[in-house]
Amino acid sequence: MDYINAFWIGGLICALVQILLDKTSLLPGRVMVLLVCSGTLLSALGIYGPFVKYAGAGASVPLLGFGNVLWKGMKKAIDHDGILGLFTGGFTACAAGVSAALIFSYLASLIFKPKMKD
């Protein structure tokens, strides 16, 4: 049942974002920032945590989940380091994921030889 919940919740999030992209004039970069900020805000309000427990990877993999990870890191760092944790917590919480994305993207660019659009 966990796989089914992850599939339909993740699909619903993706479908809603696609509708947002199609029906508004928002650029994809702005939508991505909106998703990360929304995930952070929902986590701060205590809404996104139970949602992740229910949906698993369907809620933690999209960009909303990235905002959730940033909030968890900031909250932990603020509890440990005070207000300075507001600036450092997000970096330590997501460093492994961002580093992996950069490394694998670089390796993919070496293998597939990307070209600039004309």
Side-chain angles (χ1 to χ4, degrees):
M1 195 65 185
D2 291 338
Y3 294 119
I4 294 171
N5 287 338
F7 179 77
W8 80 265
I9 293 290
L12 181 65
I13 291 170
C14 291
L16 291 173
V17 170
Q18 188 62 49
I19 291 169
L20 182 67
L21 285 168
D22 290 344
K23 298 295 182 186
T24 66
S25 61
L26 291 173
L27 297 174
R30 292 184 183 195
V31 172
M32 288 190 283
V33 169
L34 179 67
L35 289 170
V36 172
C37 291
S38 298
T40 305
L41 181 64
L42 290 172
S43 297
L45 295 174
I47 297 170
Y48 207 73
F51 188 59
V52 169
K53 285 183 183 178
Y54 175 74
S60 62
V61 170
L63 283 174
L64 290 166
F66 184 67
N68 181 40
V69 169
L70 289 175
W71 170 252
K72 283 182 182 179
M74 287 189 312
K75 183 177 178 189
K76 182 178 176 183
I78 289 170
D79 292 342
H80 185 263
D81 300 328
I83 194 68
L84 186 62
L86 181 67
F87 302 104
T88 62
F91 292 118
T92 56
C94 68
V98 171
S99 297
L102 289 171
I103 291 167
F104 291 128
S105 298
Y106 177 71
L107 292 175
S109 72
L110 291 176
I111 294 168
F112 296 107
K113 305 290 185 208
K115 296 176 179 69
M116 295 298 291
K117 284 186 173 182
D118 292 331

